[in-house]
Amino acid sequence: PTYTLTISGESAMADYNDPVPDKDGNVTEPIAPWYKALQDKADDTNHSVPITKITVEEGVTKIGNWAFAYTQVEEASFAASVKEYGIRIYSKCPKLTTVDWTHFQPEKVWLDAARPMKTQQFRAICSIRTVRCTSPSWMVGPIPTDWYCLPQ
């Protein structure tokens, strides 16, 4: 079976941590509750859980760190009400091929200083090359040398 995840409400989502155990077998809580609920159904190779569709409804104001990491989602889009994005929200999603940036209107995007901007939300997705925005003023953290902001 596959699953659809819907995030709704009128507030910010919590931050989560990498749900996959480190080399010592440790996981730092909290991890996303949907990952925890489907962990026994995770792919043995890439640890992804069978969530194939994610909908973030209008009203949600923040997507937390690692929120949708390790899912089998194929497409990502953004709700206009979301103004803050955590790190690695779609990290390690092996089937993600399409990103619709139409409603991506952030005020803040948190950066992991060890990673370049273009890989922050979609780590290990080589086909996603550029973030389009109107101003880099929404960034929190240093602007990496390989980050681009193109006029729309």
Side-chain angles (χ1 to χ4, degrees):
T2 60
Y3 300 85
T4 297
L5 174 63
T6 301
I7 305 297
S8 62
E10 300 289 324
S11 63
M13 178 189 289
D15 286 325
Y16 304 106
N17 292 305
D18 186 343
V20 176
D22 64 18
K23 63 181 175 13
D24 297 323
N26 300 314
V27 174
T28 304
E29 293 286 344
I31 64 172
W34 39 90
Y35 187 92
K36 192 179 279 191
L38 296 171
Q39 197 165 9
D40 62 327
K41 295 172 177 42
D43 181 285
D44 291 334
T45 305
N46 57 37
H47 307 285
S48 62
V49 294
I51 295 173
T52 56
K53 182 174 181 178
I54 297 171
T55 302
V56 177
E57 294 182 347
E58 287 299 321
V60 175
T61 59
K62 175 189 173 190
I63 304 294
N65 297 341
W66 295 90
F68 310 132
Y70 293 96
T71 61
Q72 295 175 13
V73 65
E74 295 177 3
E75 296 183 23
S77 61
F78 304 94
S81 63
V82 176
K83 300 300 181 190
E84 186 174 348
Y85 292 89
I87 63 168
R88 300 181 184 169
I89 57 174
Y90 285 102
S91 184
K92 305 290 185 169
C93 294
K95 297 184 179 184
L96 182 62
T97 57
T98 304
V99 179
D100 178 357
W101 298 100
T102 305
H103 299 292
F104 186 72
Q105 302 170 12
E107 292 174 1
K108 291 182 184 174
V109 174
W110 292 94
L111 301 179
D112 176 348
R115 303 273 187 260
M117 174 60 198
K118 71 181 180 181
T119 61
Q120 285 299 299
Q121 313 313 325
F122 304 95
R123 188 163 176 241
I125 306 296
C126 299
S127 62
I128 300 169
R129 305 240 181 248
T130 305
V131 174
R132 297 182 191 278
C133 62
T134 56
S135 169
S137 63
W138 46 260
M139 252 190 205
V140 176
I143 297 177
T145 57
D146 65 348
W147 179 82
Y148 305 95
C149 185
L150 303 176
Q152 293 186 351

